[in-house]
Amino acid sequence: MLVAVTIRNGGARAVRVADDAADGVLADAPAADTPAESVDAAPVSTEVTDPAQLTALERNHAPRWIFDSAAETYPALLAMGIRVRRCHDLALTERILRGREGCFGEPCRAAAILARAHGEPVPADPAPIDDGGRLRVAAQPGLFDDAVAEVAETDPRLLIAAYRDQTRRVDRSAGGPEAAAAGIDVSAGALRLLIAAESGSALVATEMSRRGLPWDADVHRQILTDALGTRPADGTRPATLARLAEEISAAFGFPVNPDSPVDVREAFHRSGFDIETTRAWVLREIEHPAVAPLLRYKDLARLFTANGWNWLDDWVVGGRLAAQFLPGAVVSGRWATRGGGGLQLPTSIRRAAIAEPGHVLVVADAAQLEPRILAAVSKDPALTALSGDADLYAALAADGFGGDRRHAKLAMLGAMYGQTSGEAARLMATMRVRYPAAVACVESAARRGEAGGVVASVLGRACPPPSETWRRAVGAGGASDERRARRVARDRGRFTRNFVIQASAADWAAAWMTTLRLALLDDVPTAEMVLFQHDELVIHVPEPYAAAVCELAIAAATTARDLVFPGSSVHTPVRPVAVRCYADAK
């Protein structure tokens, strides 16, 4: 069953438009050759606005809810106590499909989809609004711009029309000579799986944003006080930073503002050290009495500005970290956050993330994910065999690097990120001999990028094409321009080399979280997925169910592997631990 949902005055209006078949927990699109008339002409059979009826609709039929944007529409259902099992997010799907057409950063809402389908001017997407320092998406009376809002309210089948336009485009986008020539050829089934997993991620992200990671503000304040001193007046430094600033100036023998990279760089120049950057790794190579207090200052200043008292006031509400998670917001498919810095919680403040009484945090980390994804994407037999080891870098070291784990890790990172000089480049020779298919996979992606081509993840998420500025730089003449052209081309090659791995890892993570969410709904509905940070997922769960949730996280990882890399024996191990405090998971 397909159900289109619109929001009016904070309430949900759902219209059942048509029935459709489902063929798996992540199958989210019917066959792309479904005749349009069978849906477009379908009569509206049910229209409901009462929360009890909406709840019954979900409980009795488990429909596929069609959202213009789950981030905007789903919160209204959650506020009514309705948790949706599956949905199709039009905006996220359009971002994927338009990306495969070489178009990024364009409007992706239903109004834009239908305008493109009919060759009409494409309206802009609704813009976020600023709400007291936090970005919130504006609630619209309908799901379209003013010009069609009245029609959208009276005929939500327009959402279904946009959905059908997308499903018809899947086959055209997936296979065929054009996709093969562009380097983004995948099966229609793989692309449907990507769309389903991305839409499932939208449900995860919306629930995660609504719940928030449990956070003890008193513990956080104590962390800040211990590290920085008492809270300073606005515009002044905390006591510890003020003392370190004095030590830095004393070490140089003249006043230096440690908050100014220009000031710091000039101070080192005056002291006989010709540095081009004040990054920590550069400073650590310098023997000067200012280095130690300066490094300490930089660490504490980052804590003060990124996660200090103002951050605590703004983003911790009712004992929860209130960040808005945005799935697929990065071109590689990785998540981002709007406010709160939920993807960048430093170790120093994780002691404040404490489960509520009677609960624990299950922290599930997908260990060393990207090199394992490389094994799965490339189908390298030797690397696949090593992926079963809990510490893949130690296995690499024993297999081809004389037991030196640091060398093995450096070589693997060099392969994935395109390190072409220094020690990593020398170690690449061993990689080519021991794991030829893996190296050939990333080097093929790099060559395609250097030539101006595009690449895609295993499920078909495409990278952006090169810009006109890039094309002009690469096509320029002259000796100096030729050197610059080679450098610009190599930079893009490093991007496409890593995109294949990072985007495929994002595909797997989306399938993992979507699969796990469904399992939790069935077996442990009281569990809350509260944080996703790169390859690590945090679940807040009543303590008696911790072991069951750990098992479900592991099983979902295997299911995701089988869905995204069918037939692969690569291990994607997830190592969940149950802790009271997030910091104890490491």
Side-chain angles (χ1 to χ4, degrees), residues 124-348:
D125 289 339
I129 59 172
D130 193 336
D131 179 20
R134 297 185 190 175
L135 287 172
R136 292 287 186 253
V137 179
Q140 305 295 321
L143 295 180
F144 301 97
D145 284 359
D146 293 341
V148 292
E150 182 176 349
V151 176
E153 284 293 342
T154 57
D155 188 4
R157 286 180 297 178
L158 289 175
L159 291 180
I160 304 296
Y163 167 78
R164 289 305 186 192
D165 174 77
Q166 290 181 334
T167 61
R168 282 189 288 261
R169 288 158 55 199
V170 167
D171 275 349
R172 296 201 304 269
S173 177
E178 290 184 3
I184 56 174
D185 188 20
V186 295
S187 69
L191 191 53
R192 289 194 189 100
L193 175 61
L194 173 60
I195 291 167
E198 196 81 341
S199 294
S201 293
L203 299 177
V204 173
T206 303
E207 293 175 354
M208 200 173 280
S209 300
R210 180 178 176 82
R211 290 163 178 156
L213 178 68
W215 202 266
D216 191 317
D218 290 337
V219 171
H220 190 143
R221 291 189 190 96
Q222 191 60 52
I223 292 170
L224 297 176
T225 301
D226 292 345
L228 299 167
T230 59
R231 183 173 187 172
D234 289 345
T236 62
R237 289 186 178 117
T240 303
L241 289 182
R243 186 184 71 251
L244 288 169
E246 292 175 357
E247 290 181 22
I248 292 164
S249 293
F252 281 116
F254 48 84
V256 176
N257 178 9
D259 293 316
S260 168
V262 173
D263 229 28
V264 172
R265 191 167 61 246
E266 179 58 28
F268 277 111
H269 284 178
R270 289 175 61 181
S271 302
F273 298 94
D274 188 18
I275 62 173
E276 297 301 322
T277 177
T278 60
R279 292 185 181 276
W281 64 271
V282 172
L283 297 180
R284 290 191 186 98
E285 299 298 317
I286 298 174
E287 291 188 13
H288 189 280
V291 170
L294 182 57
L295 290 173
R296 179 63 176 158
Y297 184 96
K298 288 168 72 73
D299 286 342
L300 292 179
R302 189 177 302 113
L303 171 64
F304 176 53
T305 57
N307 301 105
W309 289 274
N310 290 338
W311 180 90
L312 186 59
D313 291 342
D314 288 341
W315 298 109
V316 176
V317 180
R320 296 285 182 123
L321 171 59
Q324 184 180 3
F325 292 90
L326 307 173
V330 181
V331 292
S332 66
R334 301 198 79 163
W335 283 27
T337 55
R338 180 177 288 138
L343 298 182
Q344 297 174 327
L345 296 178
T347 303
S348 59

Side-chain angles (χ1 to χ4, degrees), residues 329-496:
V330 181
V331 292
S332 66
R334 301 198 79 163
W335 283 27
T337 55
R338 180 177 288 138
L343 298 182
Q344 297 174 327
L345 296 178
T347 303
S348 59
I349 66 165
R350 291 184 185 183
R351 285 190 286 120
I354 301 173
E356 295 176 351
H359 291 68
V360 293
L361 299 174
V362 170
V363 182
D365 178 23
Q368 301 165 344
L369 180 61
E370 289 193 3
R372 299 177 197 279
I373 294 296
L374 172 57
V377 171
S378 67
K379 301 179 181 178
D380 188 291
L383 193 56
T384 296
L386 295 181
S387 71
D389 198 286
D391 185 348
L392 179 56
Y393 294 126
L396 284 170
D399 184 57
F401 295 90
D404 191 321
R405 188 181 186 280
R406 188 184 74 84
H407 279 179
K409 183 174 182 178
L410 192 62
M412 176 58 74
L413 295 179
M416 293 190 298
Y417 289 92
Q419 182 63 41
T420 58
S421 60
E423 192 175 18
R426 178 179 61 80
L427 294 169
M428 277 296 294
T430 301
M431 288 289 294
R432 289 189 176 90
V433 172
R434 300 296 299 171
Y435 318 108
V439 173
C441 173
V442 290
E443 291 192 340
S444 173
R447 287 193 300 270
R448 191 169 191 90
E450 291 173 5
V454 298
V455 295
S457 70
V458 66
L459 294 184
R461 193 190 309 267
C463 78
S467 65
E468 285 305 315
T469 301
W470 184 91
R471 294 186 185 281
R472 286 195 297 270
V474 171
S480 61
D481 287 339
E482 185 176 342
R483 285 194 296 273
R484 179 170 180 267
R486 287 198 299 269
R487 176 176 58 78
V488 170
R490 285 195 301 269
D491 287 346
R492 177 166 172 78
R494 280 191 288 272
F495 165 70
T496 53

